[in-house]
Amino acid sequence: MAATLVLIEHDRQQVKRPSLHAITLARQLGGEYALLVLGHGLDAIAASLVSCGASAVIVADDAALAEPLADRYAAVIAQAAQKYGAKTLIGSSSTFSKDILPRAAALLDAPMVTDVLALEEVNGERAYRRPTSAGSMLATVKIEGDRCVLTARATAFEAPAADAAPCPIERFDFDPASLPNGMQFISREQRASDRPDLTEARVVVSGGRPLQDPETFERLVGGLADALGGAVGATRAAVDAGMAPNDYQVGQTGKVVAPELYIAMGISGAIQHLAGIKDSRIIVAINKDPDAPIFQMATYGLVGDLHQLVPQLIEAVRRG
Amino acid sequence: MDFSWSDQQRELLDAVDRFAKEQLAYDMIENDRHAVFNHDAWMKCAGFGIHGLLVSEEYGGLGQDPITTVAALERLGYGCKDNGLLFSINAHMWTAIIPLVYNGSEAQKKKFLPGLCDGSIIGGNAMSEPNSGSDAFSLATTAVKKGDKYILNGSKIFVTNGPIADVLLVFAVTDKSKGASGLSAFLVEKDSPGLDLTHKIEKMGVRTSPMGEVFFTDCEVPAENLLGKEGAGSWLFTRSMTWERGCILAASVGTMQRLFETCIRYANERKQGGQAIGKFQQVAGKIVDMKMRIENSRHMLYQCAWAAGHRKAIYLEAAMAKLQISESWVKCCEDAIQIHGGYGYMVEYEVERELRDAIGSKLYSGTSEIQRNIIASLIGL
Amino acid sequence: MKIVVPFKSVPDPYAGPGAAAKSVVNPFDEIAIEEALRIRERGEATEIVGVTIGPATVDEQIRSALAMGVDRALRIDDSRALDPYAVARILRALVAKEAPQLVLMGKQAVDDDSNQVGQMLAGLLGWPQATFISKIEFLENKTRAQCTRETDGGLEVIVVNLPAIVTTDLRLNEPRYVSLPGLMKARKKPIEVLTCEQLGVTVQPLTTTLSTARPPKRAAGTRVESVEELMVKLKQEAKVL
C-alpha cells in the first residue's frame, strides 16, 4: 500500500530528471509514496530509482507498453492506483503527464489539479497553488473527496535527494490482452543534439522573431548556448516562422524553464512567453526596442542590435 | 432621421472595427515610400465582405443599406492607416460596382458583380481625359459601333486602379452631334485588344493606390459590354458621380477620428514649460475645432447615406458632404502636424503622410470649386 | 462524418492591460473549429456541431463559432464554476446524444490552463485520444485518423481508431477570420439550449478555486550599456559565469 503514486517518465534510456521533482511534492504531502514506471525493458531505469525514498518502485513492464499510448497507460496506471490503494497520483508537468494523467483521473473518478506550484493550507484544509491565465494569476484550489491527481511544475520543486536506503522493485502484473487497443504508435521525430535538455539546463538561451532565419538563429542563439554549455529555446513567433523546432518553444503552451541564467535575444516579452521563464534566477534581455516589456523583468537589459552584440558576447564568453 | 444602430448593425460595425484593427494594422511607411498596392489586404477586405456591402446577396454581396455601408467604411478608415487601399476600395465600390448595380443588365451583373465582390476582379472608372477634367462632358475618346463590337479610340487620365484593373467603366462619345446625350458607358475588360493599362502615374498622396493613364487604340469592346443604353452615358455618369461624391470619403471620417485621438494623446503626453501642451488654449482650440469638423462631417455623411437609402435625390447632400469632409480632412491633417510640431513633419510620426493623402480629396470626384458650384446652383444662385 | 467541437468562452487573452475584458472563443478551440471546417471543406465531414457550457452571455461566442461556419450550436445552460472533470462528464452525456465520429477541441483553455477535459472525456467514453496535435489525416475510409502530436521531445505520429477525441495545439492551423457574410449567416442558424437535467447528468464540481492573486512582480533590473559591462555583472554580481 502507498498513499501516493508518483509516475516517473523516461525516454527508454534513462529517467527524465524533471519527473523526479514530483517526488518532492509527494514528500510534502506526507505519507508513503511509491514510484510507478511504465514501459518495456525497464530494469536499468527501475534500478536507478531505488534510492529516492519511496516505499517501492512499481514496474509495469510489457511489450504492450513499449510506447506511451494514453489509453493503455491510463488503464494500467488506474489499475495500479487501485491495487495499491493510492489516493493521490502525481506526475510532473510535461506533455507525457498531461496526455495520460487526466485520462487516468477520469478512470479513477478523481479530480485533477494541473501545474501545482506549492501546497497551502486554508482554514486547516489542504489547498494547491497553481498558475492560470498564462501565469498572470495564481489560484488557490481545494479538492473535494480523498482522491486526486496532480501534476507538479518541476521548476517549483527541488530535485529530491537520492540517498535513501534502496527500496524494493515490485513488478506490477496486469493482463496486456485486456488493455484498450484503439491507438497505434507510428513514429517519433529523433533529433540528435549534444545540448542539454531545455527543462534541465543551467543556462538557456532563447531567440525571437528578429533572428530572421534558421541559419542566423543557429549561429547566434545556438552559438551562444554552446559557448555557455546551455540549452536553446525559442518564442512561439520564432517557431512559427520555422526558425526552430516546436519543442524549443518556451512559454504558456510550450516549456516552463527556471534556469540559473536565461538569455532572451530579440524577445519582446509577450505574456505567454514570460509565463515560461519568470522563475529563472537571472534573466538577461538583449533587444533593439528599449520599450520591450521583457526589460521590465530582466535582471540585466542591453539595448541594441543582436547581430552586432551577440557575436561580441559569444566572443567574450569564449575568452572567459 | 434616426442614426441609432440596431443590434445587427452594431454587431456588423463592431466586426469591422475588429477586422480593421486586427487584420489591417500593417506598417505603412515603406509601402507609401515605394507606392506599394497591398493586394493581400485588398483580398482580405473583399473576403471579409467590404467590397460587396451594398450589393445584394444574389450577386455575392451583403445587401446592406447605404448608411450601414458608409458607417462600415468609416470604421475601416478608423482602423486602417492605408488610405491608398481605402481609396482603391472606394473607387471600386462607388465608381464600378454602383453603376453596375443600378444600370447593369442581368447578364452583366451576373458576369461581373460576384468577382467585384470577392475581390478577384478589380474595377475602376475612366472618365477624365488630358483635356477634359472638371468640364467632364467635353470628351475626345470615341466609340464607333462595328458589327457586334464597339471600337474605342482615345485616352483617359487619372484612372484610379487603372494599372491593376480587370474591368474599367469607360465613358466615350458615340454621337458627337448630340453633345452630352451622345456619351455612352462601356465595361472594358483588361484583355481587350487595343487596350493599354500599363502607364502608371506617380502622385503626392494615396500613393499605395495605383493610378494610371489608359490608352485605347482601335480597342475592341463587345457590344454586350455597353452599360445602359447608347447615349445614356452622361446620365449614368451623373448618377454614379453623385453616389461617389456622397460616399467616397466615408473612410476619411474614420481617419480623422483616429488622427483626432492621436492628437489628444500627444497633447496630453507632450509637456512644455512643465505642463501638457493640451492645456495651452491654442492647442486645445485646434483639437476642439477638429472635433467640430469631424462631427459635422459624420453627420453630413450619414444624412447623405440615409437619404440615398430612402431613395431621395441626394445631389445637394452629396456635394455638401464631399465638400465638408474633404476640406475638414485636409484641415485636420494640417492641424495635426501643427500640434505635433517638428515631429509631425517627420515621416516616422506618420502624420505628414495623412496630409499628403488628404489633399487629393479636394480634387477627385469634383474639386471643391465644382462642389461649391453645384451647391450654389441648387440653392438658387 | 459528424464532428462535435466543444469550445469555451474565455476573457480575451490579447486584450491590452486595462482594456475591458471582452470574451472570445478560447483560441485553442478556435483552432479546433477551423480544423473541423477544413475537414468538412475537404468533403470528409458532413456536419459540425459546436457545444459550449454557460449562461446566455456566452451566446456571443457561440455566434462567432457559427459565423466561422459551424453548422449548428448547442449551449448547455449552466452558470456554475465547473471544473474540468465536471465539464468532461457533461460532455460525455452530450457526446452520447450526438454520437459523432470525432470530437475536436482545444488542448487547454487559456484562462484556466488545465489541459484536462479532452483526455478526461476520452477516458470516460473509453475512446482513443490524440492530444496536442499539429496535423490530422483520415485513413481507411475514415475509420482511423493519423495524428501528429507536439510533445516535449518533438513530433510524434500516432494512429487512432474512430470515434476518437482529438485536442489541438497551436500550429495545427491559422483560424479564418470571421467575415461579414459569415456573421449574417450565423444569425439564421439555430442555437439549441439544453440543461444538465435534460441530458440526464448530475455533476458537482470537485475542485473549487478559493482565491486568486497576482504573482509577485519580478523587479526590473538594471540596464547595461555594453557587452563588457554585461559580462562583468554576470561574473561578479550574479556569479552565474
Side-chain angles (χ1 to χ4, degrees):
Chain A
M1 298 301 276
T4 302
L5 278 188
V6 182
L7 179 66
I8 299 295
E9 186 179 350
H10 59 87
D11 63 4
R12 283 154 292 273
Q13 319 292 324
Q14 54 187 342
V15 167
K16 291 211 169 173
R17 314 245 7 127
S19 79
L20 296 176
H21 295 221
I23 294 172
T24 304
L25 173 57
R27 287 184 183 171
Q28 291 177 7
L29 285 168
E32 282 203 344
Y33 59 90
L35 309 186
L36 176 63
V37 204
L38 283 70
H40 188 43
L42 295 174
D43 293 351
I45 286 168
S48 74
L49 292 166
V50 294
S51 305
C52 295
S55 58
V57 176
I58 302 164
V59 180
D61 189 329
D62 192 279
L65 301 178
E67 294 296 342
L69 294 168
D71 54 355
R72 294 177 186 187
Y73 267 50
V76 171
I77 291 166
Q79 284 175 30
Q82 273 155 352
K83 179 182 165 193
Y84 286 89
K87 300 288 187 197
T88 306
L89 181 59
I90 309 181
S92 78
S93 295
S94 65
T95 52
F96 168 81
S97 297
K98 287 182 176 178
D99 182 39
I100 293 163
L101 286 182
R103 186 173 180 120
L107 299 181
L108 292 165
D109 192 28
M112 176 166 174
V113 181
T114 300
D115 292 336
V116 173
L117 296 172
L119 295 179
E120 291 188 48
E121 206 180 277
V122 178
N123 300 330
E125 283 189 88
R126 170 155 293 149
Y128 305 87
R129 186 155 75 225
R130 63 175 301 265
T132 64
S133 305
S136 65
M137 295 303 284
L138 295 176
T140 300
V141 180
K142 187 185 77 166
I143 288 177
E144 303 292 334
D146 60 352
R147 276 171 302 181
C148 70
V149 178
L150 310 172
T151 57
R153 270 273 174 93
T155 54
F157 296 93
E158 299 282 315
D163 54 3
C167 68
I169 296 175
E170 293 176 22
R171 194 178 160 81
F172 176 63
D173 287 313
F174 60 96
D175 174 15
S178 72
L179 293 180
N181 199 21
M183 297 172 61
Q184 185 191 347
F185 174 82
I186 303 295
S187 64
R188 180 177 295 113
E189 183 185 58
Q190 292 293 356
R191 218 181 10 256
S193 174
D194 298 334
R195 291 180 184 139
D197 189 84
L198 247 181
T199 51
E200 300 176 35
R202 206 183 71 88
V203 176
V204 174
V205 183
S206 283
R209 202 200 301 268
L211 272 307
Q212 288 167 341
D213 52 61
E215 293 70 36
T216 316
F217 189 93
E218 177 53 31
R219 185 165 52 79
L220 298 182
V221 183
L224 183 57
D226 291 345
L228 290 163
V232 172
T235 63
R236 177 187 174 187
V239 172
D240 285 353
M243 286 180 238
N246 70 292
D247 51 300
Y248 281 31
Q249 185 173 322
V250 172
Q252 180 189 23
T253 66
K255 290 179 176 148
V256 174
V257 299
E260 283 286 294
L261 173 61
Y262 186 86
I263 304 183
M265 309 197 326
I267 293 175
S268 63
I271 178 179
Q272 288 79 5
H273 184 78
L274 300 183
I277 68 168
K278 59 185 172 198
D279 294 323
S280 307
R281 188 167 78 83
I282 302 290
I283 296 176
V284 172
I286 306 176
N287 202 302
K288 195 171 72 172
D289 174 10
D291 299 324
I294 186 102
F295 287 124
Q296 283 166 25
M297 72 184 303
T299 325
Y300 304 115
L302 179 55
V303 177
D305 182 11
L306 293 175
H307 302 273
Q308 286 171 9
L309 294 173
V310 177
Q312 286 176 29
L313 188 55
I314 294 173
E315 189 52 40
V317 170
R318 286 209 181 112
R319 277 200 309 269
Chain B
M1 280 171 279
D2 178 5
F3 297 153
S4 60
W5 305 124
S6 68
D7 286 347
Q8 298 196 350
Q9 282 173 313
R10 194 180 307 282
E11 185 186 39
L12 184 146
L13 296 177
D14 286 350
V16 178
D17 256 339
R18 267 200 311 281
F19 166 74
K21 196 170 94 189
E22 292 169 11
Q23 302 283 302
L24 301 175
Y26 46 89
D27 186 48
M28 273 306 296
I29 292 177
E30 288 302 310
N31 283 9
D32 173 67
R33 185 171 291 145
H34 302 292
V36 178
F37 172 69
N38 190 336
H39 188 260
D40 180 49
W42 169 274
M43 291 306 290
K44 271 188 186 162
C45 288
F48 180 66
I50 296 293
H51 297 20
L53 275 165
L54 264 177
V55 179
S56 65
E57 292 177 63
E58 61 173 316
Y59 302 115
L62 288 175
Q64 295 297 307
D65 60 6
I67 189 141
T68 312
T69 302
V70 297
L73 290 169
E74 180 193 345
R75 305 296 178 102
L76 201 64
Y78 178 76
C80 173
K81 295 186 291 184
D82 191 346
N83 294 320
L85 174 77
L86 299 172
F87 186 58
S88 278
I89 291 173
N90 273 287
H92 176 84
M93 287 173 71
W94 306 109
T95 77
I97 289 180
I98 281 284
L100 255 165
V101 164
Y102 285 99
N103 304 98
S105 66
E106 188 56 27
Q108 287 168 340
K109 288 185 190 180
K110 278 210 171 105
K111 179 171 177 188
F112 293 107
L113 282 177
L116 288 164
C117 290
D118 72 21
S120 59
I121 299 179
I122 299 180
N125 182 307
M127 177 71 179
S128 293
E129 296 185 357
N131 296 313
S132 162
S134 292
D135 180 11
F137 297 119
S138 62
L139 297 186
T141 300
T142 58
V144 178
K145 190 161 188 190
K146 226 181 202 177
D148 58 355
K149 289 186 184 104
Y150 283 90
I151 307 298
L152 272 65
N153 277 290
S155 71
K156 297 284 176 182
I157 197 162
F158 310 140
V159 180
T160 297
N161 294 347
I164 52 169
D166 298 291
V167 61
L168 284 175
L169 182 61
V170 176
F171 293 88
V173 178
T174 38
D175 187 346
K176 195 162 176 61
S177 66
K178 291 187 180 159
S181 304
L183 284 191
S184 301
F186 300 90
L187 294 158
V188 181
E189 295 170 73
K190 73 166 176 202
D191 47 7
S192 305
L195 176 69
D196 182 359
L197 296 172
T198 59
H199 299 262
K200 281 190 192 168
I201 310 174
E202 182 140 5
K203 51 193 186 321
M204 172 183 184
V206 285
R207 291 171 54 78
T208 57
S209 170
M211 178 179 272
E213 262 186 286
V214 178
F215 295 91
F216 308 91
T217 312
D218 292 328
C219 173
E220 295 177 15
V221 177
E224 70 254 26
N225 281 17
L226 173 71
L227 186 70
K229 291 193 183 110
E230 201 174 289
S234 98
W235 172 79
L236 210 145
F237 176 77
T238 306
R239 185 170 185 182
S240 121
M241 181 50 93
T242 305
W243 274 98
E244 178 182 338
R245 264 186 204 129
C247 304
I248 199 163
L249 294 179
S252 312
V253 177
T255 308
M256 279 190 267
Q257 178 71 31
R258 170 163 42 77
L259 214 52
F260 163 74
E261 291 173 13
T262 309
C263 287
I264 291 183
R265 264 198 309 278
Y266 187 78
N268 282 329
E269 276 168 17
R270 170 85 171 165
K271 292 200 166 53
Q272 291 287 281
Q275 65 172 333
I277 62 168
K279 297 292 172 206
F280 296 120
Q281 282 189 358
Q282 299 225 35
V283 172
K286 278 192 174 60
I287 299 179
V288 169
D289 288 352
M290 219 180 256
K291 172 77 176 160
M292 299 297 291
R293 289 193 182 93
I294 294 167
E295 293 301 328
N296 282 332
S297 297
R298 182 179 290 123
H299 196 82
M300 286 198 180
L301 173 71
Y302 287 4
Q303 187 183 20
C304 178
W306 179 88
H310 288 75
R311 304 198 168 273
K312 296 177 191 300
I314 56 165
Y315 297 113
L316 180 62
E317 285 82 356
M320 292 198 307
K322 167 71 175 38
L323 184 62
Q324 169 70 24
I325 302 172
S326 60
E327 304 219 322
S328 297
W329 191 13
V330 173
K331 187 71 178 115
C332 280
C333 293
E334 280 176 6
D335 286 350
I337 292 179
Q338 206 67 24
I339 289 161
H340 282 76
Y343 293 111
Y345 196 59
M346 299 299 122
V347 171
E348 191 191 333
Y349 270 69
E350 302 196 89
V351 184
E352 62 82 33
R353 187 182 68 239
E354 297 286 353
L355 176 62
R356 286 191 284 108
D357 288 346
I359 283 180
S361 70
K362 289 170 42 168
L363 304 170
Y364 53 73
S365 315
T367 61
S368 290
E369 291 72 20
I370 290 287
Q371 308 305 337
R372 286 193 167 85
N373 287 347
I374 294 169
I375 297 167
S377 70
L378 290 168
I379 58 177
L381 295 169
Chain C
M1 180 163 69
K2 177 175 178 177
I3 304 176
V4 163
V5 186
F7 60 91
K8 184 178 182 185
S9 165
V10 298
D12 186 354
Y14 300 107
K22 221 179 85 48
S23 290
V24 295
V25 174
N26 172 40
F28 285 104
D29 296 333
E30 214 177 11
I31 292 172
I33 294 171
E34 175 65 34
E35 196 62 21
L37 299 176
R38 291 184 190 189
I39 292 167
R40 190 185 63 193
E41 284 160 7
R42 293 202 295 262
E44 293 179 316
T46 45
E47 190 184 18
I48 303 168
V49 184
V51 183
T52 192
I53 305 174
T57 47
V58 303
D59 281 357
E60 197 181 328
Q61 285 69 58
I62 297 181
R63 275 196 299 276
S64 298
L66 290 169
M68 282 181 79
V70 165
D71 294 302
R72 64 187 171 88
L74 288 148
R75 175 166 62 80
I76 298 157
D77 190 54
D78 194 327
S79 51
R80 292 176 296 168
L82 298 172
D83 64 3
Y85 187 42
V87 170
R89 283 175 289 164
I90 294 171
L91 289 178
R92 170 178 53 180
L94 189 278
V95 169
K97 178 174 176 284
E98 289 286 335
Q101 282 75 54
L102 182 66
V103 175
L104 253 180
M105 59 199 291
K107 72 168 183 179
Q108 72 193 66
V110 297
D111 53 351
D112 183 60
D113 283 340
S114 276
N115 196 332
Q116 297 175 13
V117 176
Q119 298 88 313
M120 286 177 162
L121 178 59
L124 292 170
L125 290 163
W127 288 10
Q129 72 185 50
T131 51
F132 329 139
I133 69 148
S134 59
K135 193 176 176 193
I136 181 168
E137 283 173 320
F138 297 98
L139 312 174
E140 295 156 39
N141 198 27
K142 290 176 281 177
T143 55
R144 312 174 83 198
Q146 175 163 310
C147 300
T148 303
R149 305 179 56 228
E150 299 206 354
T151 72
D152 289 342
L155 301 177
E156 183 183 294
V157 181
I158 61 172
V159 168
V160 293
N161 294 350
L162 298 182
I165 309 289
V166 173
T167 77
T168 58
D169 216 318
L170 283 175
R171 274 169 281 276
L172 178 60
N173 60 48
E174 176 98 19
R176 70 197 54 194
Y177 206 81
V178 170
S179 69
L180 296 178
L183 209 60
M184 291 172 64
K185 275 188 209 133
R187 289 185 192 140
K188 296 173 192 149
K189 293 179 188 171
I191 299 178
E192 190 184 339
V193 181
L194 285 172
T195 59
C196 285
E197 293 74 63
Q198 285 168 316
L199 282 171
V201 274
T202 353
V203 293
Q204 290 301 325
L206 297 173
T207 58
T208 317
T209 298
L210 299 172
S211 62
T212 56
R214 292 211 167 270
K217 258 190 120 166
R218 230 190 128 96
T222 46
R223 293 283 169 109
V224 293
E225 297 304 322
S226 66
V227 165
E228 289 70 39
E229 194 189 341
L230 176 62
M231 289 298 290
V232 169
K233 293 271 189 198
L234 290 176
K235 282 179 190 165
Q236 295 174 4
E237 196 175 88
K239 298 190 175 23
V240 281
L241 292 187

